[in-house]
Amino acid sequence: MNIIRIPVLSDNYIFLLHDVNTNQVAVVDPAIPEPVLMEIKNLGADLVAIFNTHHHFDHVGGNQELLKYYPNAVVYGGIKDKGRIPHQQVFLEEGDTVEFGDRKADVYFVPGHTYAHIAYYFPPVEASGWGELFCGDTLFAGGCGRLFEGTPTDMVNSLTKFRNLPDSTRVWCAHEYTLSNLKFAITIDKDNQDLQQRLQQVVGDRQKEIPTIPSSIKIEKLTNPFLRWDNPKIKQAMGLNEPERVFGRLRGMKDNF
Ligand code: ZN
Ligand code: FE
């Protein structure tokens, strides 16, 4: 499965999954249709699935138009998004699996950003390979999504699921927010050398307009304060102890950063 990253709008990423054996593609969170249609045409491929993580327009805005060209494509989303995702046909819950080509993804229910948000995790094919996580607006590189329809407790539970994935999991999040996230993170976790290094790297990359996505679970666990609510330094910086409260204060500070 090849993964093609398509940058769209001001900071969104659409991901195209390409199964080379069958020349089928699936798309994750098509914000807009045009660049997706163009890429599929370039590949001479057939669109068989639309995997939506949540109902926000910058994730489902392309559904309708894509179905005009590929009426057999199946639209997946979370069960609680029923009525909010255009043309949704499959209603997924935690523990469900979806198939694409020779790969199978586990579905995680990850409320917090919205109450219906789901993520798709493709485990590695070989023990030494990468797993692929499509997490929409739940986990970002260096940050996490805003709590529009959920509580800190929801989000801590959701992010815990990601934190438990193997280090060798690529994180395909839906926005290029990494630089501003890390600029915030360094104000909280100043002495973290992995974070200092990462910020420096990302500053350089963004100056050259190099995408910072995918990230990995390994680097996120080392540098993303929103996965580090139980780290002594973070707890100390927040002056709090319980995970939900540490996380809640961190999220509040980021909202006003
Ligand atoms: Zn969103
Ligand atoms: Fe979004």
Side-chain angles (χ1 to χ4, degrees):
M1 181 172 86
N2 290 337
I3 301 171
I4 299 158
R5 184 188 49 216
I6 310 174
V8 298
L9 307 177
S10 56
D11 51 38
N12 274 82
Y13 289 118
I14 300 172
F15 303 113
L16 208 59
L17 317 184
H18 183 213
D19 181 65
V20 238
N21 298 317
T22 58
N23 208 22
Q24 292 181 331
V25 294
V27 64
V28 180
D29 283 353
I32 53 172
E34 297 83 6
V36 179
L37 289 168
M38 210 150 73
E39 193 66 47
I40 299 173
K41 218 173 149 192
N42 285 343
L43 294 167
D46 184 30
L47 179 70
V48 297
I50 299 175
F51 295 125
N52 292 128
T53 62
H54 66 295
H55 75 292
H56 284 159
F57 198 68
D58 63 316
H59 299 256
V60 304
N63 283 16
Q64 177 156 338
E65 190 74 7
L66 289 173
L67 288 172
K68 279 189 196 159
Y69 292 85
Y70 301 96
N72 297 323
V74 178
V75 181
Y76 299 82
I79 189 165
K80 293 191 172 175
D81 261 332
K82 199 167 198 167
R84 303 205 296 185
I85 292 179
H87 305 281
Q88 183 178 359
Q89 291 160 273
V90 183
F91 303 88
L92 299 167
E93 295 181 85
E94 172 90 17
D96 284 345
T97 56
V98 295
E99 285 181 38
F100 172 68
D102 57 357
R103 300 286 291 266
K104 213 181 228 181
D106 301 321
V107 173
Y108 289 98
F109 177 50
V110 286
H113 178 66
T114 71
Y115 63 71
H117 203 300
I118 59 167
Y120 302 87
Y121 168 65
F122 291 84
V125 181
E126 309 134 33
S128 59
W130 288 99
E132 317 288 0
L133 174 67
F134 297 92
C135 53
D137 289 355
T138 298
L139 176 64
F140 289 128
C144 76
R146 283 177 186 260
L147 301 178
F148 287 123
E149 298 178 352
T151 64
T153 305
D154 292 332
M155 199 54 138
V156 166
N157 290 336
S158 295
L159 292 174
T160 298
K161 296 176 187 178
F162 297 158
R163 222 169 62 155
N164 290 335
L165 291 173
D167 281 350
S168 56
T169 301
R170 285 193 283 219
V171 176
W172 302 88
C173 55
H175 291 273
E176 179 63 64
Y177 290 159
T178 316
L179 181 56
S180 66
N181 283 338
L182 296 180
K183 282 180 177 168
F184 168 74
I186 200 78
T187 68
I188 305 297
D189 199 8
K190 297 178 186 67
D191 302 328
N192 181 337
Q193 291 189 2
D194 297 305
L195 175 56
Q196 293 164 0
Q197 269 178 26
R198 187 181 189 191
L199 176 57
Q200 209 176 15
Q201 171 78 39
V202 165
V203 167
D205 286 350
R206 292 312 294 153
Q207 274 166 0
K208 291 173 242 157
E209 290 181 36
I210 297 171
T212 64
I213 308 304
S215 167
S216 72
I217 288 294
K218 180 177 184 182
I219 186 82
E220 294 309 321
K221 287 196 316 197
L222 288 170
T223 61
N224 186 336
F226 293 97
L227 290 182
R228 292 161 62 77
W229 54 78
D230 44 11
N231 178 280
K233 286 273 172 64
I234 305 284
K235 290 203 278 190
Q236 196 185 25
M238 295 300 102
L240 291 167
N241 195 40
E242 302 89 319
E244 297 74 28
R245 298 193 65 208
V246 173
F247 182 91
R249 179 161 294 178
L250 207 51
R251 189 57 258 180
M253 289 174 73
K254 176 67 170 70
D255 288 344
N256 298 303
F257 183 65

